[in-house]
Amino acid sequence: MGEVVKDLTAGTVGGAAQLVCGHPFDTIKVKLQSQPNPLPGQPPKFSGAIDAVKQTLAAEGAGGLYKGMGAPLATVAAFNAVLFAVRGQMETLLRSQPGAPLTVGQQVICGSGAGVAVSFLACPTELIKCRLQAQSAMGDSGSVGATVKYGGPLDVAKQVLRSEGGTRGLFKGLVPTMAREIPGNAALFGAYEALKQFFAGGQDTSGLGRGSLIVAGGLAGAAFWASVYPTDVVKSVIQVDDYKNPKFSGSIDAFRKILASEGVKGLYRGFGPAMARSVPANAACFLAYEVTRSSLG
């Protein structure tokens, strides 16, 4: 139980660091993913990531880049605590003896298991976050701040529970969420371990400095998004889709329609901000986790 508490605590600190560093990038990513397709002959609402940043700052100020952070901030403790605690328990199960280092393959298995567990926390949190981030991008015209449907995270939850099928509505997009979290966390923890062992020159990574942990964590985060990004696009469009007049009947339908209307490029809308976010955010997360975990003994 003591090890679980340490993983819970360190995971919470790591998650908070990740959120503060990465949320503005995530906001721009979701806005690019969920902006409506322009009419023939008309330009898209945002021409790219830089344009989305400029329009958001002009209409909403710096606070607009942190829109939707209330939901993940409220659940970051639970999300990252579960992620690192489940991973820690799976490490214990896979070790041949206490304290024995794990192989990269075993860390991939640990990441997959952790991904299953956090999917059930990630789905409702992501739905609330995406609705708040995307609502200004969903308007067909006008300024970035023109379309306001939700007053905040709690308002999103209340409206979904009231008019979108109760609790089931909060889990809209669970399948693509799991399709993102399971392979994504397998890649994340596998890459993190592989890079640590590479820097350490073997399986004993206990002597690595903070610089190596930062690089390993940042590149591991990039591995997460590189492996699952199209799935994240599908998840986002499903979660912001209108409940009464849906454009998509499900994940496969969303995938097919995006490909048909935009080609492969449509599955990578917002990829730049996602990758720009992943390196510093995950570097901060893993460094905070490792330092906190080490200080707890």
Side-chain angles (χ1 to χ4, degrees):
M1 182 60 70
E3 295 301 307
V4 174
V5 172
K6 291 174 184 177
D7 280 327
L8 291 172
T9 303
T12 299
V13 174
Q18 181 186 54
L19 186 64
V20 171
C21 288
H23 194 79
F25 296 97
D26 191 63
T27 296
I28 298 303
K29 171 182 73 73
V30 172
K31 286 193 173 191
L32 290 173
Q33 287 177 341
S34 53
Q35 66 175 322
N37 291 327
L39 296 174
Q42 292 188 353
K45 189 162 193 175
F46 306 117
S47 61
I50 300 300
D51 183 49
V53 171
K54 289 179 178 178
Q55 288 195 45
T56 301
L57 288 174
E60 304 174 60
L65 295 174
Y66 284 90
K67 183 170 286 186
M69 196 172 83
L73 185 61
T75 57
V76 67
F79 182 90
N80 284 278
V82 169
L83 179 69
F84 282 97
V86 171
R87 175 226 186 184
Q89 289 305 294
M90 293 194 68
E91 286 179 331
T92 301
L93 291 173
L94 293 175
R95 281 195 175 101
S96 56
Q97 58 184 13
L102 297 181
T103 65
V104 173
Q106 287 173 320
Q107 285 290 356
V108 168
I109 295 172
C110 292
S112 298
V116 173
V118 298
S119 293
F120 294 94
L121 287 172
C123 186
T125 301
E126 289 273 316
L127 183 140
I128 292 171
K129 174 181 69 67
C130 287
R131 295 277 179 100
L132 288 171
Q133 290 172 326
Q135 66 176 351
S136 61
M138 295 300 288
D140 293 328
S141 60
S143 67
V144 174
T147 305
V148 179
K149 182 178 180 181
Y150 305 112
L154 290 178
D155 187 42
V156 178
K158 288 177 182 177
Q159 290 195 43
V160 171
L161 288 171
R162 182 173 62 248
S163 60
E164 297 187 28
T167 304
R168 182 179 178 182
L170 291 174
F171 285 88
K172 183 179 183 180
L174 179 60
V175 170
T177 299
M178 295 186 77
R180 183 190 73 175
E181 293 296 328
I182 296 172
N185 280 294
L188 177 75
F189 288 109
Y192 184 61
E193 186 64 27
L195 288 164
K196 287 202 303 177
Q197 292 186 17
F198 173 76
F199 293 143
Q203 284 192 310
D204 183 7
T205 61
S206 59
L208 286 177
R210 294 185 178 183
S212 296
L213 296 176
I214 288 172
V215 173
L219 293 178
F224 179 106
W225 287 109
S227 63
V228 298
Y229 195 80
T231 306
D232 184 67
V233 173
V234 171
K235 178 201 71 66
S236 293
V237 299
I238 289 290
Q239 290 187 321
V240 301
D241 199 17
D242 187 74
Y243 179 72
K244 295 181 179 179
N245 300 293
K247 296 179 182 178
F248 313 109
S249 61
S251 300
I252 301 299
D253 183 52
F255 180 82
R256 288 174 176 169
K257 286 181 176 177
I258 293 171
L259 271 182
S261 63
E262 303 175 60
V264 175
K265 184 179 178 181
L267 294 171
Y268 285 89
R269 279 198 298 186
F271 185 68
M275 294 301 286
R277 166 192 176 274
S278 68
V279 175
N282 284 282
C285 177
F286 276 106
L287 178 62
Y289 171 81
E290 296 283 8
V291 170
T292 304
R293 188 67 174 79
S294 177
S295 68
L296 295 174

